[in-house]
Coordinates of all heavy atoms in Angstrom, one line a residue:
S16 N -7.4 -4.7 -0.5 CA -7.7 -3.5 -1.4 C -8.3 -2.4 -0.6 O -9.0 -2.7 0.5 CB -8.9 -4.0 -2.4 OG -9.4 -3.0 -3.0
S17 N -8.3 -1.2 -1.0 CA -8.8 -0.1 -0.3 C -10.3 -0.1 -0.2 O -11.0 0.3 0.7 CB -8.4 1.3 -0.8 OG -8.7 1.3 -2.2
Q18 N -11.0 -0.9 -1.2 CA -12.5 -1.2 -1.2 C -12.8 -2.1 0.0 O -14.0 -2.1 0.4 CB -12.9 -1.7 -2.5 CG -12.8 -0.6 -3.6 CD -11.6 -0.4 -4.3 OE1 -10.7 -1.4 -4.2 NE2 -11.3 0.7 -4.8
D19 N -11.8 -2.9 0.5 CA -12.2 -3.7 1.6 C -12.1 -3.1 2.9 O -12.5 -3.7 4.0 CB -11.2 -5.0 1.5 CG -11.2 -5.7 0.4 OD1 -12.3 -5.8 -0.3 OD2 -10.3 -6.5 0.1
I20 N -11.7 -1.8 3.1 CA -11.6 -1.2 4.3 C -13.0 -0.7 4.8 O -13.6 0.1 4.0 CB -10.7 0.1 4.3 CG1 -9.2 -0.4 3.8 CG2 -10.6 0.8 5.6 CD1 -8.3 0.8 3.5
P21 N -13.5 -1.2 5.9 CA -14.9 -0.8 6.2 C -14.9 0.8 6.5 O -13.9 1.4 6.9 CB -15.1 -1.6 7.6 CG -14.0 -2.7 7.6 CD -12.9 -2.2 6.8
A22 N -16.1 1.3 6.1 CA -16.2 2.7 6.2 C -16.1 3.2 7.6 O -15.6 4.4 7.9 CB -17.6 3.1 5.8
D23 N -16.3 2.4 8.7 CA -16.2 2.9 10.1 C -14.9 2.3 10.7 O -14.8 2.3 11.9 CB -17.5 2.3 10.8 CG -17.6 0.7 10.8 OD1 -16.8 0.1 10.1 OD2 -18.3 0.2 11.6
Y24 N -14.0 1.9 9.8 CA -12.7 1.4 10.4 C -12.0 2.5 11.2 O -11.7 3.6 10.7 CB -11.9 0.8 9.3 CG -10.5 0.3 9.8 CD1 -10.5 -0.8 10.5 CD2 -9.3 0.9 9.6 CE1 -9.2 -1.4 11.0 CE2 -8.2 0.5 10.0 CZ -8.1 -0.7 10.7 OH -6.9 -1.2 11.2
S25 N -11.5 2.1 12.3 CA -10.7 3.0 13.1 C -9.4 2.3 13.4 O -9.4 1.3 14.2 CB -11.4 3.4 14.4 OG -10.5 4.2 15.3
P26 N -8.3 2.7 12.9 CA -7.0 2.0 13.0 C -6.5 2.0 14.5 O -6.7 3.0 15.2 CB -6.1 2.7 12.1 CG -6.6 4.1 11.9 CD -8.1 3.9 12.1
P27 N -5.8 1.0 15.0 CA -5.3 1.0 16.3 C -4.1 2.0 16.3 O -3.5 2.3 15.3 CB -4.8 -0.4 16.5 CG -4.6 -1.1 15.2 CD -5.6 -0.3 14.3
P28 N -3.8 2.5 17.5 CA -2.7 3.5 17.6 C -1.3 2.9 17.2 O -1.1 1.7 17.5 CB -2.8 4.0 19.0 CG -3.6 3.0 19.8 CD -4.5 2.3 18.8
L29 N -0.5 3.7 16.7 CA 0.9 3.4 16.5 C 1.7 3.6 17.7 O 2.9 3.1 17.7 CB 1.5 4.2 15.3 CG 0.6 4.3 14.0 CD1 1.3 5.2 13.0 CD2 0.5 2.9 13.4
G30 N 1.3 4.4 18.6 CA 2.0 4.7 19.8 C 1.9 6.2 20.0 O 1.2 6.9 19.5
T31 N 2.9 6.6 21.0 CA 2.9 8.1 21.3 C 3.7 8.7 20.2 O 4.4 8.1 19.4 CB 3.6 8.3 22.6 OG1 5.0 7.9 22.5 CG2 2.9 7.6 23.7
P32 N 3.6 10.1 20.0 CA 4.6 10.8 19.1 C 6.0 10.4 19.2 O 6.8 10.3 18.4 CB 4.2 12.2 19.3 CG 2.8 12.2 19.9 CD 2.7 11.0 20.7
Q33 N 6.4 10.2 20.6 CA 7.7 9.8 20.8 C 8.2 8.5 20.3 O 9.2 8.3 19.8 CB 8.1 10.0 22.3 CG 8.0 11.4 22.9 CD 6.5 11.8 23.1 OE1 5.6 11.1 23.1 NE2 6.3 13.1 23.3
D34 N 7.2 7.6 20.4 CA 7.4 6.2 20.0 C 7.5 6.2 18.4 O 8.3 5.5 17.9 CB 6.2 5.3 20.4 CG 6.0 5.1 21.9 OD1 7.0 5.1 22.5 OD2 4.8 4.9 22.2
V35 N 6.6 7.0 17.7 CA 6.6 7.0 16.4 C 7.9 7.7 15.9 O 8.5 7.1 14.9 CB 5.3 7.8 15.8 CG1 5.4 8.1 14.3 CG2 4.1 7.0 16.2
G36 N 8.3 8.8 16.6 CA 9.5 9.4 16.1 C 10.7 8.4 16.2 O 11.6 8.5 15.4
A37 N 10.8 7.8 17.2 CA 11.9 6.8 17.5 C 11.9 5.7 16.4 O 12.9 5.4 15.9 CB 11.8 6.2 18.9
A38 N 10.8 5.3 16.1 CA 10.7 4.2 15.0 C 11.1 4.8 13.7 O 11.8 4.1 12.8 CB 9.3 3.6 15.0
V39 N 10.7 6.0 13.4 CA 11.0 6.6 12.1 C 12.5 6.9 12.0 O 13.2 6.6 11.0 CB 10.1 7.9 11.9 CG1 10.6 8.7 10.7 CG2 8.7 7.5 11.7
R40 N 13.1 7.4 13.1 CA 14.5 7.7 13.2 C 15.4 6.4 12.9 O 16.4 6.4 12.3 CB 14.9 8.3 14.4 CG 14.8 9.8 14.5 CD 15.5 10.5 15.6 NE 14.9 10.9 16.8 CZ 13.7 11.3 17.2 NH1 12.7 11.1 16.3 NH2 13.4 11.7 18.3
A41 N 14.9 5.3 13.5 CA 15.6 4.1 13.3 C 15.5 3.6 11.9 O 16.5 3.0 11.4 CB 14.9 3.0 14.2
A42 N 14.4 3.8 11.1 CA 14.2 3.4 9.8 C 14.9 4.2 8.8 O 15.5 3.8 7.8 CB 12.6 3.4 9.5
V43 N 14.9 5.6 9.1 CA 15.5 6.6 8.1 C 16.3 7.6 9.0 O 15.7 8.7 9.3 CB 14.4 7.2 7.2 CG1 14.0 6.3 6.1 CG2 13.3 7.7 8.0
P44 N 17.5 7.3 9.3 CA 18.2 8.0 10.3 C 18.5 9.5 9.9 O 18.7 10.3 10.7 CB 19.7 7.3 10.3 CG 19.4 6.0 9.9 CD 18.2 5.9 9.0
G45 N 18.3 9.8 8.6 CA 18.5 11.2 8.1 C 17.3 12.0 8.3 O 17.2 13.3 7.9
V46 N 16.1 11.6 8.9 CA 15.0 12.3 9.0 C 15.2 13.5 10.1 O 15.9 13.3 11.0 CB 13.8 11.4 9.5 CG1 14.0 11.0 10.9 CG2 12.5 12.2 9.3
D47 N 14.6 14.7 9.7 CA 14.7 15.8 10.7 C 13.4 15.8 11.5 O 12.2 16.1 10.9 CB 14.8 17.1 9.8 CG 14.7 18.4 10.6 OD1 14.5 18.2 11.9 OD2 14.9 19.4 10.0
L48 N 13.4 15.6 12.7 CA 12.2 15.6 13.6 C 12.4 16.7 14.6 O 12.0 16.5 15.8 CB 12.1 14.2 14.2 CG 11.6 13.1 13.2 CD1 11.5 11.8 13.9 CD2 10.1 13.5 12.8
S49 N 13.0 17.7 14.3 CA 13.3 18.8 15.2 C 11.9 19.3 15.8 O 11.8 19.8 16.9 CB 14.1 20.0 14.7 OG 13.7 20.4 13.5
D50 N 10.9 19.3 14.8 CA 9.5 19.5 15.1 C 8.9 18.1 15.1 O 8.5 17.5 14.1 CB 8.8 20.4 14.1 CG 7.2 20.6 14.4 OD1 6.7 19.9 15.3 OD2 6.7 21.4 13.8
P51 N 8.6 17.5 16.4 CA 8.1 16.1 16.4 C 6.8 15.9 15.7 O 6.5 14.7 15.3 CB 8.0 15.8 17.8 CG 8.7 16.9 18.6 CD 8.8 18.1 17.7
A52 N 6.1 16.9 15.4 CA 4.7 16.8 14.8 C 4.8 16.7 13.3 O 4.0 16.2 12.6 CB 3.7 17.9 15.2
W53 N 5.9 17.4 12.7 CA 6.1 17.5 11.3 C 7.6 17.2 11.1 O 8.4 18.2 11.2 CB 5.8 19.0 10.8 CG 4.3 19.1 10.6 CD1 3.4 19.7 11.4 CD2 3.7 18.9 9.3 NE1 2.2 19.7 10.8 CE2 2.4 19.3 9.5 CE3 4.1 18.3 8.1 CZ2 1.4 19.1 8.5 CZ3 3.1 18.1 7.2 CH2 1.7 18.6 7.3
G54 N 7.9 16.0 10.5 CA 9.2 15.7 10.1 C 9.4 15.9 8.7 O 8.5 16.2 7.9
E55 N 10.7 16.0 8.4 CA 11.1 16.2 6.9 C 12.3 15.2 6.6 O 13.2 15.1 7.4 CB 11.4 17.6 6.7 CG 11.8 17.8 5.3 CD 12.1 19.4 5.0 OE1 12.6 20.1 5.9 OE2 11.9 19.8 3.8
L56 N 12.3 14.7 5.4 CA 13.3 13.9 4.9 C 13.5 14.3 3.5 O 12.7 14.4 2.7 CB 12.8 12.4 5.0 CG 13.9 11.4 4.6 CD1 15.0 11.3 5.5 CD2 13.2 10.0 4.6
V57 N 14.9 14.5 3.2 CA 15.2 14.9 1.8 C 16.1 13.9 1.3 O 17.2 13.5 1.8 CB 15.9 16.4 2.0 CG1 16.4 16.8 0.5 CG2 15.1 17.4 2.6
G58 N 15.7 13.5 0.0 CA 16.6 12.6 -0.8 C 17.2 13.3 -2.0 O 17.0 14.6 -2.1
P59 N 17.8 12.6 -2.8 CA 18.5 13.1 -3.9 C 17.7 13.9 -4.9 O 18.1 15.1 -5.4 CB 19.2 12.0 -4.7 CG 18.6 10.7 -4.1 CD 17.9 11.2 -2.9
T60 N 16.3 13.5 -5.1 CA 15.5 14.2 -6.0 C 14.1 14.4 -5.5 O 13.2 14.7 -6.2 CB 15.5 13.4 -7.4 OG1 14.9 11.9 -7.1 CG2 16.8 13.3 -8.0
W61 N 14.0 14.1 -4.2 CA 12.6 14.2 -3.7 C 12.6 14.7 -2.2 O 13.7 14.7 -1.6 CB 11.9 12.7 -3.7 CG 12.9 11.7 -3.2 CD1 13.6 10.8 -4.0 CD2 13.2 11.4 -1.8 NE1 14.3 10.0 -3.2 CE2 14.1 10.3 -1.9 CE3 12.7 11.8 -0.6 CZ2 14.6 9.6 -0.8 CZ3 13.3 11.2 0.5 CH2 14.2 10.1 0.4
S62 N 11.6 15.0 -1.6 CA 11.4 15.4 -0.2 C 10.1 14.8 0.3 O 9.2 14.6 -0.4 CB 11.5 16.9 0.1 OG 10.3 17.5 -0.5
V63 N 10.1 14.5 1.6 CA 9.0 13.9 2.3 C 8.7 14.7 3.5 O 9.6 14.8 4.3 CB 9.1 12.4 2.5 CG1 7.9 11.9 3.3 CG2 9.5 11.5 1.4
E64 N 7.5 15.2 3.7 CA 7.1 15.7 4.9 C 6.2 14.6 5.6 O 5.4 14.1 5.0 CB 6.3 17.0 4.7 CG 7.0 18.2 4.3 CD 6.1 19.4 4.1 OE1 4.9 19.2 3.5 OE2 6.5 20.5 4.5
L65 N 6.5 14.5 6.9 CA 5.8 13.5 7.7 C 4.9 14.3 8.7 O 5.4 14.9 9.6 CB 6.8 12.6 8.5 CG 7.7 11.8 7.6 CD1 9.0 12.5 7.4 CD2 8.1 10.5 8.4
N66 N 3.6 14.1 8.5 CA 2.6 14.7 9.4 C 2.3 13.6 10.5 O 1.5 12.7 10.2 CB 1.4 15.1 8.6 CG 0.3 15.8 9.6 OD1 0.5 15.7 10.7 ND2 -0.6 16.3 8.9
I67 N 3.0 13.7 11.6 CA 2.8 12.8 12.7 C 1.8 13.4 13.7 O 1.1 12.6 14.3 CB 4.2 12.6 13.5 CG1 5.2 11.9 12.5 CG2 4.0 11.8 14.7 CD1 6.6 11.9 12.9
G68 N 1.6 14.7 13.8 CA 0.6 15.2 14.7 C 1.2 15.2 16.2 O 2.3 14.7 16.4
D69 N 0.4 15.8 17.0 CA 0.8 15.9 18.4 C -0.2 15.3 19.4 O -0.2 15.7 20.6 CB 1.1 17.4 18.8 CG 0.0 18.3 18.5 OD1 -1.0 17.8 18.3 OD2 0.2 19.5 18.7
A70 N -1.1 14.6 18.9 CA -2.0 13.9 19.8 C -1.3 12.9 20.7 O -0.2 12.5 20.4 CB -3.1 13.2 19.0
D71 N -1.9 12.6 21.8 CA -1.3 11.7 22.8 C -1.0 10.2 22.1 O -0.1 9.6 22.5 CB -2.2 11.5 24.1 CG -2.2 12.7 24.9 OD1 -1.3 13.6 24.9 OD2 -3.2 12.8 25.6
A72 N -1.9 9.8 21.3 CA -1.8 8.6 20.6 C -1.9 8.9 19.1 O -2.8 9.5 18.6 CB -2.9 7.6 21.0
V73 N -0.8 8.4 18.4 CA -0.8 8.6 16.9 C -1.5 7.4 16.2 O -1.1 6.3 16.5 CB 0.7 8.8 16.5 CG1 0.8 8.8 14.9 CG2 1.3 9.9 17.1
H74 N -2.5 7.7 15.4 CA -3.2 6.5 14.7 C -2.7 6.4 13.3 O -3.0 5.3 12.6 CB -4.7 6.9 14.8 CG -5.3 6.6 16.2 ND1 -5.7 5.5 16.7 CD2 -5.4 7.5 17.2 CE1 -6.0 5.5 17.8 NE2 -5.9 6.8 18.3
S75 N -2.1 7.4 12.8 CA -1.6 7.3 11.4 C -0.5 8.4 11.2 O -0.4 9.4 11.9 CB -2.8 7.5 10.3 OG -3.3 8.8 10.5
V76 N 0.1 8.2 10.0 CA 1.2 9.3 9.6 C 0.9 9.6 8.2 O 0.8 8.6 7.4 CB 2.6 8.7 9.8 CG1 3.6 9.6 9.2 CG2 2.8 8.5 11.2
M77 N 0.7 10.8 7.8 CA 0.6 11.2 6.4 C 2.0 11.7 5.9 O 2.6 12.5 6.5 CB -0.4 12.3 6.3 CG -0.7 12.9 4.9 SD -1.5 11.7 4.0 CE -3.2 11.9 4.5
L78 N 2.2 11.1 4.7 CA 3.5 11.5 4.0 C 3.0 12.3 2.8 O 2.2 12.0 2.0 CB 4.3 10.2 3.5 CG 4.5 9.1 4.5 CD1 5.2 8.0 3.8 CD2 5.4 9.7 5.6
H79 N 3.7 13.6 2.8 CA 3.5 14.5 1.6 C 4.9 14.4 0.8 O 5.8 15.0 1.3 CB 3.3 16.0 2.2 CG 2.0 15.9 3.1 ND1 0.8 15.8 2.6 CD2 2.0 16.0 4.4 CE1 -0.1 15.9 3.7 NE2 0.6 16.0 4.8
I80 N 4.8 13.8 -0.3 CA 5.9 13.5 -1.1 C 6.0 14.4 -2.3 O 5.0 14.5 -3.0 CB 5.9 12.0 -1.5 CG1 5.7 11.1 -0.2 CG2 7.2 11.6 -2.3 CD1 5.5 9.6 -0.5
R81 N 7.2 15.0 -2.5 CA 7.4 15.9 -3.6 C 8.6 15.5 -4.4 O 9.5 15.0 -3.8 CB 7.5 17.3 -3.2 CG 6.2 17.8 -2.6 CD 6.4 19.3 -2.0 NE 5.2 19.7 -1.4 CZ 4.7 19.4 -0.2 NH1 5.3 18.7 0.6 NH2 3.6 19.9 0.2
G82 N 8.7 15.7 -5.7 CA 9.8 15.5 -6.5 C 9.7 14.3 -7.4 O 8.7 14.0 -8.1

Side-chain angles (χ1 to χ4, degrees):
S16 165
S17 57
Q18 287 80 23
D19 297 338
I20 302 171
D23 62 348
Y24 179 72
S25 179
L29 306 176
T31 66
Q33 295 79 15
D34 296 333
V35 170
V39 170
R40 274 198 257 339
V43 285
V46 68
D47 175 359
L48 289 172
S49 53
D50 177 350
W53 275 95
E55 184 176 27
L56 184 63
V57 177
T60 59
W61 47 262
S62 67
V63 179
E64 288 181 317
L65 297 91
N66 182 350
I67 297 169
D69 58 5
D71 291 339
V73 177
H74 290 268
S75 63
V76 174
M77 179 68 77
L78 305 179
H79 304 284
I80 303 165
R81 293 174 180 83

